[in-house]
Every structure is written in structure tokens, then in C-alpha cells.
């Protein structure tokens, strides 16, 4: 499974096919994965997987392709309407699951290390993500930063914003002093540092590898330990995407600052800590509200 064909231009397709053919694999292709995989695309993927009796789905692309692969993996042998069962009713999987592997070409969602799979229904104007259990996690994921070098800067920046929001959605929840928050602060500082380098030099291996590593840790459940988590920014962003089909990271960019400014007074201490520990805001001569405000417009 792959997207619009960029992997054929940058040589990744040829590398993957060479390995598969050298190992005697019978390969069926499902191209045309879109940024917001649709119900119609899911139906198409299920048909291809069933007709081909697929015993592995290999997603080669970014988070949307990985999401799509996992959605097909649980839906191909579902005897009910997968959209109704998994996305409207949020039921567990009780049918055969086709295992998934991932070769990552865009860094953002962490889909390569979790059970999440978002699907869009344009007719109903809904984009819904279902986080499936560990049975649906990719069996393996190949993370090579070099495979992300040719990504357009717009997509790279959207991915960076998505990573940041994955962390802040978990950070801004609860008022306790949790070890997970210290981990998140470190991840955010590293993300900011590496992103500033990557936007100037997209082939800086260390920066791109750090961003890839952070994306995985941001959403592999580690930093959620002991946290209630929020995800309201994602819910708002997905609502925007359902109506506009906009890139996921950019929908988050459109709604997140307004949302955090709105909730800041209700969690002022946490926003103050965020500004100081993540953005190095100097508190001298500033009120708590002023300190927090410096940290919100990320």
C-alpha cells in the first residue's frame, strides 16, 4: 500500500519491490492512499486484500498510509459494516486480522508504533480515529530517516506540528507532578531543536532521525502513563478535516492555539511550567499569566 506515487520517483518503491521479489513474494499493489483515507478507499482495500488472500499488508508511506493499512487489516474479514462497527460504535475486533508492516516515508502520526487508524466519511462529514488494541500494532516498522529527505517542506512542517500536538495533548491533562511530564518536556525540547535545523537543511541526518524517534515516543503509549490525556485539539482538527480534507497537521495548527488560549486560565500553572521548561521563557518581571502567554503561540 502506498500513496500518490512519490515512492516511485524517489526510488523507495524499487528498493522495496527488489527485496520482496528476491524473497519470492507474490505482491498485489494498492496505490492511491490519500492524506485522509476514506470509507470508499477502505472498501477498495478490503476487496484487494480478500481477493488476493493477503497474508501481510505492507504500508510504504506516511501515517495516513499506515492508518489505512491497519483499517484494512481489521476490516477485510469483518462480517459487518466496518465503518459502523469500528468507527461509529467503537467495537473491538473479533474477526481475522491481517498483519501489517510499515516502511515509513513521512514522520508525524506515530502510526508505525501504535494501533490507531483514522478514516474519513465525506458523506457524513466525519473523520474518526479508532485506537485498536496491540493485536493491530504493526508487526515491524522500518524507520530510515533518509526515506524522509525528499518530503516537501510543507508536509514536513505539518508532521512536526502533529508530533508536537501529540505530546501537548497528553501534557496538558491533570495537575499532578508526573514523571511522564518530564519525559514530554524533554521530547518537546528535542523536537524544537531538531525542527529548527531540519527546516533549514532537510537532509541533516541527525535532525531528521531525532524527529523520527520523537514521533515514535510521542504516541507509543509511554508518555500517556499516569495521564488522563485530552485529545480535544485532535477532535477539533479532525472535524475541520472532515469538511475540508485538509492536511492533518495543518488542521491542528489552525485550531490549537485558540483552544489552548481558551483553556489556559483553567490550568495556568501547567501552562506557566510549559513556557519555562519547554520554551525557556524567563519569568523575571512577569506575572504567571504573562509567562504562560509566551508559551502558547508555538
Amino acid at each position: 500500500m502506498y500513496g500518490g506515487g512519490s515512492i516511485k520517483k524517489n526510488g523507495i518503491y524499487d528498493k522495496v519491490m527488489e527485496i520482496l521479489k528476491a524473497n519470492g513474494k507474490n505482491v498485489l499493489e494498492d496505490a492511491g492512499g490519500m492524506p485522509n483515507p476514506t470509507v470508499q478507499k477502505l472498501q477498495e482495500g478490503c476487496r484487494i486484500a480478500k481477493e488476493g488472500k493477503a497474508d501481510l499488508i505492507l504500508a510504504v508511506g506516511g501515517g495516513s498510509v499506515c492508518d489505512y493499512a491497519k483499517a484494512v487489516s481489521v476490516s477485510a474479514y469483518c462480517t459487518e459494516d466496518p465503518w459502523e462497527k469500528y468507527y461509529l460504535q467503537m467495537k473491538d475486533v473479533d474477526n481475522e486480522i491481517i498483519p501489517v508492516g510499515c516502511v515509513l516515508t513521512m514522520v508525524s502520526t506515530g502510526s508505525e508504533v501504535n494501533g490507531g487508524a483514522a478514516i474519513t466519511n465525506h458523506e457524513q462529514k466525519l473523520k474518526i480515529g479508532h485506537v485498536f488494541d496491540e493485536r493491530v500494532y504493526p508487526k515491524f516498522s522500518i524507520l530510515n530517516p533518509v526515506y524522509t529527505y525528499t518530503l516537501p517542506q510543507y508536509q514536513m512542517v505539518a508532521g512536526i506540528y502533529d508530533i508536537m500536538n501529540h505530546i501537548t495533548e497528553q501534557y496538558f491533562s491533570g495537575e499532578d507532578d508526573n514523571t511522564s511530564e518530564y519525559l514530554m518536556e524533554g521530547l518537546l525540547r528535542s523536537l524544537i531543536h531538531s525542527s529548527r535545523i531540519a527546516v533549514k537543511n532537510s537532509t541533516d541526518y541527525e535532525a531528521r532521525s531525532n524527529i523520527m524517534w520523537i514521533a515514535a515516543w510521542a504516541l507509543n503509549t509511554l508518555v500517556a502513563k499516569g495521564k488522563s490525556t485530552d485529545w480535544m485539539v485532535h477532535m477539533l482538527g479532525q472535524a475541520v478535516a472532515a469538511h475540508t480534507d485538509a492536511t492533518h497537521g495543518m488542521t491542528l495548527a489552525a485550531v490549537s492555539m485558540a483552544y489552548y488560549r481558551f483553556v489556559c486560565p483553567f490550568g495556568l500553572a501547567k501552562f506557566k511550567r510549559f513556557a519555562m521548561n519547554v520554551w525557556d521563557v524567563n519569568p523575571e518581571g512577569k506575572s504567571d499569566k504573562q509567562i504562560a502567554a509566551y508559551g502558547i503561540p508555538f
Side-chain angles (χ1 to χ4, degrees):
M1 291 180 172
Y2 54 93
S6 62
I7 64 169
K8 290 188 175 181
K9 297 177 183 177
N10 59 28
I12 296 174
Y13 173 88
D14 291 335
K15 291 179 181 179
V16 171
M17 291 301 293
E18 182 181 350
I19 294 170
L20 293 172
K21 289 179 179 178
N23 285 274
K25 302 303 179 184
N26 178 35
V27 182
L28 296 173
E29 295 186 29
D30 182 0
M34 59 280 287
N36 296 299
T38 64
V39 170
Q40 290 77 18
K41 183 62 178 171
L42 176 60
Q43 293 169 346
E44 178 187 342
C46 290
R47 177 185 57 77
I48 294 172
K50 286 182 69 176
E51 290 179 357
K53 299 180 180 178
D55 56 6
L56 174 73
I57 299 174
L58 184 62
V60 184
S64 294
V65 176
C66 297
D67 272 28
Y68 170 55
K70 285 180 283 183
V72 172
S73 79
V74 299
S75 301
Y77 293 102
C78 180
T79 57
E80 304 169 51
D81 176 3
W83 171 255
E84 179 72 27
K85 179 177 181 178
Y86 295 135
Y87 291 93
L88 295 182
Q89 298 180 13
M90 288 290 174
K91 290 184 177 180
D92 293 331
V93 184
D94 57 4
N95 51 258
E96 179 183 347
I97 300 171
I98 305 172
V100 170
C102 298
V103 179
L104 205 60
T105 64
M106 176 182 173
V107 179
S108 61
T109 68
S111 189
E112 68 278 5
V113 290
N114 62 48
I119 294 294
T120 298
N121 188 318
H122 287 306
E123 183 178 331
Q124 297 179 17
K125 298 296 184 184
L126 292 172
K127 179 181 178 181
I128 301 175
H130 186 145
V131 181
F132 295 95
D133 62 55
E134 292 184 4
R135 293 174 298 161
V136 186
Y137 284 29
K139 302 304 179 186
F140 65 87
S141 290
I142 297 173
L143 279 61
N144 185 343
V146 176
Y147 287 0
T148 69
Y149 282 0
T150 59
L151 191 70
Q153 188 172 79
Y154 178 90
Q155 295 295 336
M156 179 178 70
V157 171
I160 290 168
Y161 212 93
D162 190 20
I163 298 166
M164 177 168 278
N165 271 264
H166 287 160
I167 301 173
T168 55
E169 294 267 38
Q170 298 168 93
Y171 183 82
F172 291 120
S173 62
E175 298 178 346
D176 55 334
D177 185 22
N178 190 302
T179 298
S180 294
E181 292 164 356
Y182 293 86
L183 294 174
M184 286 187 270
E185 287 169 356
L187 290 172
L188 285 165
R189 291 178 67 88
S190 180
L191 179 65
I192 292 165
H193 171 74
S194 295
S195 298
R196 285 170 171 163
I197 296 171
V199 294
K200 294 179 180 178
N201 179 10
S202 63
T203 60
D204 186 296
Y205 183 88
E206 186 170 66
R208 298 304 290 266
S209 70
N210 283 336
I211 295 170
M212 180 173 270
W213 192 221
I214 295 161
W217 283 110
L219 211 58
N220 68 359
T221 76
L222 173 71
V223 297
K225 303 304 181 187
K227 302 295 296 178
S228 56
T229 74
D230 184 44
W231 303 111
M232 185 54 68
V233 171
H234 269 67
M235 296 301 101
L236 293 168
Q238 288 181 354
V240 172
H243 285 264
T244 66
D245 218 26
T247 301
H248 177 59
M250 293 308 182
T251 67
L252 301 180
V255 302
S256 60
M257 285 188 283
Y259 174 75
Y260 284 132
R261 289 189 186 111
F262 178 75
V263 302
C264 180
F266 304 97
L268 188 60
K270 179 61 68 68
F271 281 94
K272 175 185 175 182
R273 172 177 170 173
F274 176 73
M276 294 170 60
N277 292 359
V278 174
W279 291 103
D280 290 327
V281 174
N282 184 351
E284 187 175 348
K286 302 180 184 72
S287 67
D288 287 357
K289 185 176 180 180
Q290 289 172 325
I291 297 167
Y294 274 97
I296 295 174
F298 38 77

